[in-house]
Amino acid sequence: MIELSYKDRVKEYITKMSEKNIICLWQYHFSDRRNMYSWYQKETYKLSEELKNNESISDERMQQIMMFAEIEKYYREEIVSKKLPFSIKAKEYVEQVLRLKRNVKAKDKLRFSNGDTMNNWLNSQKSAIFKILDEGRPLTKEYSKRIRAITLIAALVNKYEPVKPLSFEQKASEYRNFLYEKGKKLESGDSIRFSDGSLADNWYEKELKRYIRPSKINEYKAKLRMPVLLEIGECIISLDNEIKFDDGYVNRKNK
């Protein structure tokens, strides 16, 4: 597969931003299969180092910098400027739950009034709250209000459809997304949770231990699930080939 040009990479990134209304495209890939957000962070880090070290910039590199700036410009003008306050989003979300008599799902293709997708909003809010609570951080007045609001919305959703434990396949899919979000393997003690509220930190190790030497009882499940776990293992190895910095990624082989 031919690697994308810098111009095409910027174009694809902005196109995906316009579709998802976010800049953190950690779970998406370019048409040449490179992770979008990994590339974005690497370019951000590269630019910050050039500025910090007052490096000489070639004409070709200046063109790249100008193209990359279009991403930030789009983010400021088309996404940040249209962000809704939490209270407005909570109100709009509740209205849809009451209308649907269930939680909002991806198939509904619903959006908030500013264009943000609605289907994963509740889960992302719950994950953020779980993280703060698990870390024992002091709660601001604003987050105390958010916790009360999310608790009430979750109770409303559960009234219509009680939360069910995720299947192996669902957890595998969410775990893979967590890997790209964090940029490396989850460690014991990480506060990341699946959308059903269960901790994700040791899920992979437990499942691998369960099926790598299957008993007679789970032998059939092992045949179906080990290929999925091995694929996740390949993702972990791939991500491990990159070192994560505060502002980006640098490939080990380029060090």
Side-chain angles (χ1 to χ4, degrees):
M1 182 173 293
I2 300 175
E3 185 174 350
L4 288 172
S5 67
Y6 201 94
K7 181 179 180 180
D8 288 338
R9 208 172 288 285
V10 169
K11 184 178 178 181
E12 285 192 16
Y13 202 95
I14 292 176
T15 298
K16 185 61 69 173
M17 283 171 61
S18 69
E19 292 175 5
K20 304 302 178 181
N21 222 30
I22 55 175
I23 195 171
C24 302
L25 301 172
W26 49 266
Q27 59 181 336
Y28 302 103
H29 294 78
F30 294 107
S31 57
D32 63 0
R33 298 181 183 177
R34 185 173 180 181
N35 182 268
M36 285 186 157
Y37 199 54
S38 174
W39 171 82
Y40 171 80
Q41 288 191 302
K42 184 176 180 179
E43 288 301 310
T44 301
Y45 176 78
K46 181 179 178 180
L47 180 58
S48 68
E49 286 293 293
E50 289 170 339
L51 295 175
K52 183 174 69 176
N53 299 326
N54 197 26
E55 295 181 15
S56 176
I57 306 296
S58 67
D59 291 342
E60 181 182 359
R61 176 57 183 154
M62 183 57 70
Q63 289 179 352
Q64 290 183 344
I65 292 172
M66 291 174 68
M67 285 187 284
F68 189 73
E70 290 297 313
I71 294 176
E72 300 298 326
K73 182 174 182 289
Y74 183 90
Y75 177 64
R76 289 194 309 271
E77 295 180 357
E78 301 297 330
I79 297 179
V80 174
S81 64
K82 297 178 181 178
K83 284 189 177 296
L84 285 180
F86 172 85
S87 58
I88 301 295
K89 283 194 170 183
K91 179 177 179 294
E92 292 183 6
Y93 196 91
V94 167
E95 288 173 352
Q96 293 302 329
V97 171
L98 291 172
R99 183 181 67 84
L100 295 168
K101 298 294 189 293
R102 59 170 171 77
N103 199 7
V104 176
K105 298 180 180 179
K107 67 179 182 180
D108 299 319
K109 298 181 180 180
L110 291 172
R111 292 180 177 270
F112 292 102
S113 55
N114 69 333
D116 289 350
T117 54
M118 190 176 281
N119 67 286
N120 199 42
W121 180 79
L122 183 59
N123 285 337
S124 65
Q125 293 297 319
K126 287 194 291 186
S127 294
I129 288 170
F130 279 135
K131 183 176 182 180
I132 291 174
L133 295 177
D134 288 343
E135 292 176 354
R137 285 190 276 164
L139 295 176
T140 63
K141 187 176 180 180
E142 169 64 21
Y143 257 97
S144 295
K145 289 182 179 178
R146 288 193 181 196
I147 289 174
R148 287 195 293 272
I150 291 300
T151 300
L152 291 173
I153 294 172
L156 176 63
V157 169
N158 291 342
K159 175 183 175 182
Y160 293 121
E161 47 179 43
V163 176
K164 297 178 181 178
L166 295 176
S167 66
F168 171 88
E169 290 74 19
Q170 290 170 322
K171 285 191 173 182
S173 178
E174 290 190 13
Y175 189 89
R176 193 179 293 108
N177 289 338
F178 295 151
L179 289 175
Y180 285 113
E181 179 181 15
K182 188 174 180 183
K184 63 179 182 179
K185 178 176 171 290
L186 273 62
E187 302 292 343
S188 179
D190 281 343
S191 58
I192 298 174
R193 292 177 181 266
F194 292 110
S195 57
D196 64 0
S198 58
L199 282 167
D201 58 346
N202 291 324
W203 177 82
Y204 174 73
E205 288 81 359
K206 289 179 180 178
E207 293 300 308
L208 192 62
K209 185 177 180 180
R210 179 179 299 168
Y211 296 115
I212 199 165
R213 291 188 178 87
S215 63
K216 292 289 184 180
I217 298 175
N218 63 13
E219 187 174 3
Y220 177 72
K221 285 184 178 180
K223 290 181 180 179
L224 299 176
R225 296 179 176 180
M226 273 305 297
V228 177
L229 294 170
L230 291 174
E231 182 185 353
I232 291 175
E234 290 177 359
C235 290
I236 293 171
I237 293 171
S238 176
L239 288 170
D240 193 46
N241 287 330
E242 294 178 330
I243 300 175
K244 186 175 183 183
F245 289 87
D246 289 339
D247 294 313
Y249 290 84
V250 173
N251 198 287
R252 290 185 192 276
K253 66 183 181 182
N254 292 333
K255 285 200 69 186

